[in-house]
């Protein structure tokens, strides 16, 4: 999901400047390698899950293959006037844990919009994107759930709340099994459900005849290796977590609908006043789709990927910005974080009255967004959201950490990668470039992180943050600031190689924060690991400061000296004025032991650089030179984006050096930026 506020800010900057001048049950309970007798199952109405010789072409997943733990075969019919999707779902699930399972957990995310008792509607509101609250309720009714291996009995009536602490919430459901599912065994379930879409609310729902159908089907919670399900009520600040599988979804929509969906379209045929489209996606962990009669479409092939862009009339300018961003970011991201393995990427630009559906990621499908005048006044809003959602293909799609438990692993890493991509593409004006002004994403992220730096761990669970703004400041912006600081300190190439290594090693896996810290620590060393853990997991911070700069002219040696020729007493002489000695103290407040560069500038304008590894409480500068030491400047190349206070990063021997003024100006600019945030 896109971060809070920044796009609004950029839009405001741009606009402001512009104004001045912005059916049944098939049961298969068997060891995975044991073939079921072909005749054991009555053939279900839908096509088989496994591709066969007659099945549609593969969606084109190349390279490493993920385990297929939960695969879905669905037939869905959109009743457009009723804003309802009626569907059947065949779910094939493999118990990959070492424990027999006596129950399953399902997420029924649409029930978040069913009534005011849901955890979602009781979550912090009003500060995030849009108004969040639907004007028309949304919900999902599971009408039947059978498993051929358990006979014809409907299992669904025995379901219970999945989170007993939240008995009124219907988004997390526990389904007891009539008999345990052995380790390694496969269970096939058949469900029938009806999904009533809410009016558009935070990424899903309808607006007039536009529908974004996300989080819409009974979805199995992820089974962790220890045999427990990672299940949770749907919280407004949290996202998702699921196992990989193959999706084969047939969509039956009004004939005039233009559909964008996860995966590759393998069939499309007209049937009277309806059209049926079938999509296949291999090795993904979610499926979403959008349908709208008024979509325009532009197709491009970018870096070997078939890209479809669906957009409203009048947004051609946005499409050119979107394609430019993808043309740059797709090959770059593949090179850095491992090749994009799917053959398609669909980009949905929702209509303006459904803008809340924008800025969201699904496997092989991203929702961008922005006004028709995006970029015309120098803002990078649409590039930012497009690049952000694209990068989620890696940090979410391909590296599938638990977004509810550890949102920094997807949103934070994505925000860092977005920062880098926009910087590589646009340089100093990566966030804004117009009217003679430039603004970088790095400075924005630093300001956002500083503006709302509530003192809680960045690695907290999504629901633990007191507001989405706090989550945004810490999970998105502070993570990006931490990682950008490490990249500047340890070297850009080395850091990108470390992050790319993590993305490759954990492709199609579900890493935890510990995995992330350990993996980057192996690449960057124990000091960097310690900084990562303290900054992200333990509220660590840092502020370097320098004080007590004092010069003294060096005098010739004086005193009583025993020489070979006898004792000599040398009187105190006047200073020669030719040699100077100076002292200053560099302090590190906070517990992030980052190394820092120190520039010593003398009165003749010469600069000498020292380096402190950041260990210990302080570092004493002992200067000797032919000119007095005029200035001490910490972190002259601004590597330490994490430094809390820039005002104290310089000391001068005399009052009123222009450098001091410059530092103050920088500081107040940062401060003003913080106050300007909505
Ligand atoms: Zn995001």
């Amino acid at each position: 999901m896109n971060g809070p506020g920044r796009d609004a800010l950029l839009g405001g900057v741009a606009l402001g400047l512009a104004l001045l001048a912005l059916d049944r049950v098939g049961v298969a309970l068997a060891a995975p390698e044991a073939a079921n007798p072909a005749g054991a199952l009555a053939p279900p109405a839908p096509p088989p899950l496994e591709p066969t010789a007659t099945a549609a072409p593969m969606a084109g997943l190349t390279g490493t293959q993920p385990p297929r733990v939960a695969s879905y075969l669905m037939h869905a019919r959109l009743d457009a006037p009723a804003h309802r999707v009626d569907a059947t779902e065949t779910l094939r699930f493999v118990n990959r844990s070492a424990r027999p399972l006596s129950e399953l957990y399902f997420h029924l995310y649409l029930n978040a919009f069913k009534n005011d008792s849901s955890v979602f509607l009781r979550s912090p509101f009003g500060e995030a994107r849009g108004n969040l609250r639907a004007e028309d309720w949304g919900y999902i009714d599971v009408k039947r759930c059978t498993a051929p291996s358990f006979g014809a009995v409907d299992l669904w009536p025995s379901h219970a709340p999945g989170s007993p602490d939240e008995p009124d919430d219907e988004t997390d459901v526990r389904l007891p099994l009539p008999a345990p599912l052995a380790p390694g065994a496969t269970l096939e379930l058949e469900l029938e459900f009806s999904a009533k879409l809410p009016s558009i609310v935070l990424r899903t729902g309808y607006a007039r005849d536009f529908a974004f159908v996300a989080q819409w089907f009974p979805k199995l919670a992820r089974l962790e290796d220890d045999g427990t399900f990672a299940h949770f009520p749907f919280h407004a600040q949290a996202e998702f977590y699921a196992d990989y599988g193959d999706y084969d979804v047939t969509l039956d929509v009004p004939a005039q609908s233009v559909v964008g969906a996860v995966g590759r379209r393998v069939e499309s045929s007209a049937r009277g006043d309806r059209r049926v489209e079938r999509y296949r996606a291999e090795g993904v962990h979610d499926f979403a789709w959008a349908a709208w009669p008024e979509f325009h479409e532009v197709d491009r092939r970018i870096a070997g990927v078939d890209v479809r862009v669906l957009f409203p009339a009048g947004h051609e300018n946005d499409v050119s910005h979107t394609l430019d961003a993808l043309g740059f970011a797709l090959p770059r991201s593949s090179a850095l974080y491992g090749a994009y393995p799917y053959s398609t990427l669909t980009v949905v630009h929702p209509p303006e009255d459904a803008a809340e559906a924008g800025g969201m990621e699904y496997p092989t499908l991203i929702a961008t967004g922005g006004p028709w005048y995006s970029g015309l006044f120098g803002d990078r809003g649409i590039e930012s959201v497009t690049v952000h959602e694209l990068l989620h293909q890696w940090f979410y799609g391909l590296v599938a950490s638990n977004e509810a438990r550890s949102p920094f692993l997807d949103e934070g890493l994505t925000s860092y990668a977005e920062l880098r991509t926009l910087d590589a593409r646009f340089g100093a004006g990566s966030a804004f470039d117009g009217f003679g002004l430039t603004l970088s994403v790095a400075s924005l992220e630093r300001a956002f992180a500083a503006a709302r730096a509530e003192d809680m761990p960045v690695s907290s669970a999504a629901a633990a943050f007191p507001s989405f703004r706090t989550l945004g400041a810490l999970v998105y912006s502070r993570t990006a600031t931490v990682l950008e600081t490490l990249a500047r300190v340890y070297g850009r190439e080395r850091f990108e190689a470390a992050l790319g290594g993590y993305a490759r090693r954990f492709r199609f896996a579900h890493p935890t924060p510990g995995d992330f810290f350990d993996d980057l620590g192996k690449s960057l060393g124990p000091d960097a690991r310690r900084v990562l853990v303290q900054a992200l997991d333990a509220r660590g911070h840092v502020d370097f400061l320098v004080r007590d700069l004092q010069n003294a002219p060096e005098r010739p040696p004086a005193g009583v000296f025993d020489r070979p020729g006898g004792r000599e007493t040398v009187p105190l002489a006047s200073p020669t004025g030719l040699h100077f000695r100076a002292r200053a103290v560099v302090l590190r407040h906070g517990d992030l032991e980052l190394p820092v560069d120190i520039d010593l500038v003398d009165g003749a304008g010469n600069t000498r650089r020292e380096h402190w590894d950041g260990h210990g409480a302080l570092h004493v500068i002992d200067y000797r030179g032919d000119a007095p030491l005029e200035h001490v400047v910490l972190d002259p190349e601004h590597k330490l984006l994490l430094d809390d206070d820039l005002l104290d990063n310089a000391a001068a021997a005399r009052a009123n050096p222009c450098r001091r003024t410059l530092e103050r100006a920088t500081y107040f600019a940062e401060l003003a930026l913080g106050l300007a945030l909505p």
Side-chain angles (χ1 to χ4, degrees), residues 1-3 239 361 388-389 392 410-411 414 476:
M1 188 168 74
N2 203 36
E239 296 186 294
E361 69 281 7
H388 182 96
E389 308 313 338
H392 271 306
D410 61 294
E411 295 299 354
T414 291
Y476 289 68

Side-chain angles (χ1 to χ4, degrees), residues 200-222:
I200 199 85
V201 50
L202 197 60
R203 307 166 290 206
T204 198
Y206 71 88
R208 294 178 293 109
D209 51 354
F210 168 84
F212 206 111
V213 191
Q215 291 87 46
W216 59 287
F217 59 95
K219 192 175 181 193
L220 203 59
R222 171 167 149 75

Side-chain angles (χ1 to χ4, degrees), residues 233-456:
F234 188 14
H235 188 281
Q237 289 168 190
E239 296 186 294
F240 313 101
Y241 187 39
D243 273 309
Y244 285 95
D246 294 336
Y247 286 73
D248 184 334
V249 183
T250 301
L251 302 172
D252 178 345
V253 297
Q256 67 275 22
S257 286
V258 179
V259 173
V262 166
R264 174 178 285 278
R265 183 170 53 197
V266 295
E267 288 176 27
S268 179
S269 58
R271 296 182 191 174
D273 63 348
R274 309 285 296 177
R275 210 179 61 263
V276 174
E277 296 197 350
R278 183 177 171 200
Y279 289 81
R280 288 182 61 91
E282 297 172 326
V284 297
H285 52 68
D286 200 4
F287 190 95
W289 51 291
W292 193 35
E294 295 178 43
F295 270 138
H296 291 237
E297 176 170 348
V298 167
D299 296 346
R300 287 278 189 285
R301 191 160 171 85
I302 299 175
V305 178
D306 291 328
V307 176
R308 294 179 74 202
V309 183
L310 304 178
F311 62 99
H315 284 257
E316 291 74 11
N317 162 63
D318 290 339
V319 174
S320 69
H321 283 271
T322 299
L323 288 170
D324 175 79
L326 292 175
F328 183 79
L330 187 51
R332 183 177 194 275
S333 307
S334 280
L336 285 174
Y337 310 124
Y340 181 80
Y342 307 106
S343 63
T344 63
L345 176 71
T346 300
V347 183
V348 173
H349 191 124
E352 284 167 23
D353 55 356
E356 283 204 4
M360 186 58 190
E361 69 281 7
Y362 308 91
T364 77
L365 171 69
I366 60 178
T368 184
W372 61 267
Y373 54 82
S374 293
L376 293 183
F377 304 114
D379 74 282
R380 310 285 191 202
I382 196 162
E383 285 88 351
S384 166
V385 65
T386 302
V387 166
H388 182 96
E389 308 313 338
L390 174 72
L391 282 160
H392 271 306
Q393 295 302 311
W394 282 266
F395 302 110
Y396 150 80
L398 295 168
V399 182
S401 44
N402 184 334
E403 296 183 296
R405 175 61 196 86
S406 305
F408 84 98
L409 283 180
D410 61 294
E411 295 299 354
L413 271 54
T414 291
S415 294
Y416 164 77
E418 174 202 342
L419 181 163
R420 290 308 317 151
T421 306
L422 293 175
D423 192 73
R425 176 72 181 86
F426 298 114
S430 55
F432 181 85
D433 188 355
F435 308 98
L437 301 173
T438 58
L439 187 60
S440 73
V441 179
S443 62
L444 263 187
E445 294 288 28
R446 183 188 187 280
F448 269 99
R452 301 284 294 199
E454 273 84 352
D455 198 9
M456 63 185 293

